[in-house]
Amino acid sequence: MRDELARLAARWLDAGHTSADVHEHVLRGLPGAGTPVHRPGGLVRYLLREVPPRVLPQLVSSPSGPRLSSRLEGTRECSGDHVQPMLFRPVGDETLCARCASRAPDGPSPSSDPEGPGSARLPVGP
């Protein structure tokens, strides 16, 4: 019986399954608590008889950086002057949110001013 069970387990390993896969499959096939097993070798032989194909997890090629949730896909960070990052959903190729676009004249953006709002001047000297 031991040789037969070893051959069955070897078929699983040859198919690409790990020993943990075999262990989990046998555990899932065991009867519930309190149910007597009169022939444990026969039960394990029955459970290992069919070798399912190995299903590998799909590796998704992720773009650089962390993956966004589906709610945030298609959003962009505003390049305007915000205390915290401001995400918006662009219609075209714009880089400013609606608020910054309505404030910004056609000239330089407020964020390009080195002493504009949000910048702090540190004291120099002793």
Side-chain angles (χ1 to χ4, degrees):
M1 174 67 73
R2 184 180 301 172
D3 293 335
E4 184 180 3
L5 293 177
R7 277 193 306 277
L8 289 171
R11 284 181 44 212
W12 278 68
L13 298 175
D14 290 342
H17 295 280
T18 64
S19 59
D21 294 337
V22 177
H23 186 251
E24 288 174 20
H25 180 74
V26 170
L27 286 177
R28 278 193 308 264
L30 293 178
T35 305
V37 176
H38 298 290
R39 294 191 174 113
L43 175 63
V44 173
R45 179 178 56 214
Y46 173 78
L47 293 173
L48 296 180
R49 181 177 56 165
E50 303 280 329
V51 181
R54 172 85 170 146
V55 179
L56 297 175
Q58 294 282 339
L59 295 178
V60 178
S61 61
S62 63
S64 63
R67 183 183 162 116
L68 295 175
S69 71
S70 60
R71 228 177 53 169
L72 296 177
E73 284 185 19
T75 60
R76 181 179 292 169
E77 186 175 342
C78 177
S79 61
D81 188 27
H82 294 279
V83 175
Q84 294 181 346
M86 171 68 172
L87 295 178
F88 72 102
R89 199 171 301 279
V91 177
D93 62 344
E94 62 265 17
T95 59
L96 296 175
C97 66
R99 191 177 108 210
C100 290
S102 66
R103 281 191 313 179
D106 292 342
S109 73
S111 62
S112 64
D113 182 14
E115 293 184 26
S119 64
R121 180 167 272 208
L122 298 175
V124 179

